[in-house]
Amino acid sequence: IEASIPSASRQVWQKFALKEFADKEEFQQEFIRHVETTLARSMYNCDDLAAYQAASQAIRDRLIVAWNKTQQKHTTKDRKRVYYLSLEFLMGRAMDNAMLNAGVKDITKQGVEDLGFKIEDLLEQEPDAALGNGGLGRLAACFIDSIASTNYPGWGYGLRYQYGIFKQRIVDGYQVEAPDYWLTFSNPWEIPRYEIQIDIMFYGYTRKYTNDDGKVVHVWEGGEQVQAVAYDVPVPGYGTETTNNLRLWASKPTREFDFEKFNAGDYESSVRESQKAETISAVLYPNDNFYSGKELRLKQQYFWVAASLNDIIRRFKKTHRPWKEFPDQVAIQLNDTHPTLAVVELQRILVDMEGVEWDEAWKIVTSTFGYTNHTVLPEALEKWPVPLFQNLLPRHMEIIYEINLFFLQQVEKLFPKDRDLLRRVSIIEESTPQQVRMAFLAIIGSHKVNGVAELHSELIKTTIFKDFVTVYGPDKFMNVTNGITPRRWLHQANPQLSDLIASKVGSYDFLKDLNLLKKIEPFAHDPKFQDEWVAIKKFNKARLAAHIKQSNGIDVDVNALFDVQVKRIHEYKRQQMNIFGVIHRYLSIKALTAAQKKDVTPRVCIFGGKSAPGYYMAKTIIKLINAVSEVVNADADIGDLLKVVFIADYNVSKAEIIIPASDISQHISTAGTEASGTSNMKFVLNGGLILGTVDGANIEITREVGENNIFLFGHLAESVEDLRHKHRFSDVPLDPNLEKVFEAIESGIFGDANIYGSLISSVTSSDYYLVSDDFQSYLDAQKLVDQDFKNKDTWASRSISAVANMGFFSSDRAIDEYAESIWNIEPISLD
Ligand code: 73E
């Protein structure tokens, strides 16, 4: 209040306040001002990079105006907000999205073209903001887009990694990692908030004393301090002025350096501490669906959670409400268990710092949090060794013991004498050393727990969290099926398809209400519409073919079937099954006569994805794909009937080119292992059909688009346990076609067979991912794809009706479900 401009002076202010661009001249004026002042360059010294930066600055200024207006409105309306805590936000590029949402795409395009630039070239200058591994991080990005677009008051909180997911290069067929220097040329899309600095403590010790009121008070002190500095990224909504905030924390040393050492001339060690502090937010852990148990990772988690909660509480305190109203003002969503420490930290602040009674505090905590589980894979579940935890966060460890004690007492009351149940649900696993089970802590500390697709949400209730359903009853557990933003994944990635759809829907309203896609269904059999539809697919395939030519030097035929599998490389996602299938296809084609070859449907098999740097099997799969690619593409017997391509460094920007170009995409995880998948939704939304297992969101996609518009195969989740059991305890014969594939690999036609020994033996010994069990069914489904692709009209009509029925998979729908059933928040309109 003290800092506000006096009422009498506000007219002056308003006169000069920044407004929207009236026309392209106004944009150009701003653009040139930024080139000349912000960048200190001139018309003789303005390349594409400078032009990208100046244009971004001009657009960013507008976003900031809308951002300010939104924050003011949300503060004066004083309503409940949601805070989405995610260690990953896989945003990709911002400029195109900012232009679209600010409604300045045409102005900017014409504005820069007058000055001799091409908008596409400027867009290409922007590095991806790749602060995530895969689906989980990209989901967070889609969600904050939807929260803004549907006018909910909500912020994202994350870490500002200096290095996002590594860059992948392929050398001699192998993945090689290089650091992702995304901040080299400064980032126009972030606003540093140097005034927001929060002290965060690690290590130290606890003690307790009795205060004057006879109350026992716990203190945590004597630890190391670092500072959290806020960087704000505006998140503009589409078709609304609402611009929300993504606040990312960077770590900084509390003191620049140790002055005593500095004065004593020991310069090097005087800066050592500061360097150590900065490593906390330095790099994203590059593991997807895998827990590695490193202390630095736990440090990152606490650093980010403590800074975010401090910020949220500071905001709440300004409203001068009693603590019991905290959950009426604040909802916090835990994106997987990574932010689970927030549960403990809030309890600590309330009890130790604010003097709230334990039980009342715990009620506030559990009413505030919701927890989303994203995986059932055992190797991904976070469990921290107690000694490590205790050393880093001694007071938090005590509080966890306390939470666990009260919880187990409650369970004991409900199920007296069931000692084994107590052991099974305890937050502390009694192993050596003991482990803190973060998922259990997240469940106990939240009022709602959700999975991310129907099958997954059922599975968590019957497997990993079964005992908690017994304790709490089924109502605490629910499903919110994932979604994707149609702005980026349809309109931006595939503008022509978006325009064609708009011509039939009558407007671009489907970008806000994706169910309107239904309106194109009547045109599924319209030959003219089909032609336009197919022409757009061909255009997108040509765009991808050009990219492949440029990056891989491979010529691919745009009339061939484009078969795509792009996602993180993981054994459970079964890229190995795909490449074994490719080898089978290769061997089959080679055995054909010239006449028989005429019937083959030409195919381009496209792979892309990163392996965790330490994941040997995944790296071997990449090597095999590249080895097969080299042999097949050079084989004159094969020609254009089969091409194999591995696209290096798959990321959001490449996804935007690859996804619109697919005829078929593969989502072929062992049933029950892929919680949802979200690229499956993106592919279908762009008119590609799916070849998939009965897993994750494939199941709901099938329900929406109809069984005729998807190619399903493989064993069901319910059979997986039995099949694995059989592999372990009896001799299961190898699938005969797979056997031939293995013989080919072992013959050395793809190079040194020893390289692939582990890949083959994992199938021939335990076959945990059931590659052999599903192989015949997979080949059959592929055969059907080959046949069906020949009938161009039917294929086009299936593609159109699939798209028409994808409305459900908008992330706007998912956010509405969270808002209604977990967060209890309502939209706020800005007018
Ligand atoms: O099925 C996907 C899901 O679509 C799932 O594997 C992924 O989350 C997506 C969004 O819900 C996921 N990522 C992780 N766990 N599940 C994960 C775990 C640890 C570190 C990083 C990512």
Side-chain angles (χ1 to χ4, degrees), residues 200-204 222-226 273 276 299:
I200 310 290
M201 190 164 78
F202 298 104
Y203 306 108
E224 286 177 17
Q225 300 261 352
V226 295
E273 191 192 346
K276 222 169 72 191
K299 265 187 159 173

Side-chain angles (χ1 to χ4, degrees), residues 88 135-136 139 287-289 338 374-375 452 482 572 674-677:
E88 306 191 5
L136 173 140
L139 185 77
N287 302 317
D288 188 86
N289 264 293
H338 316 150
H374 294 266
T375 183
V452 290
N482 284 168
Y572 87 83
E674 189 71 276
S676 163

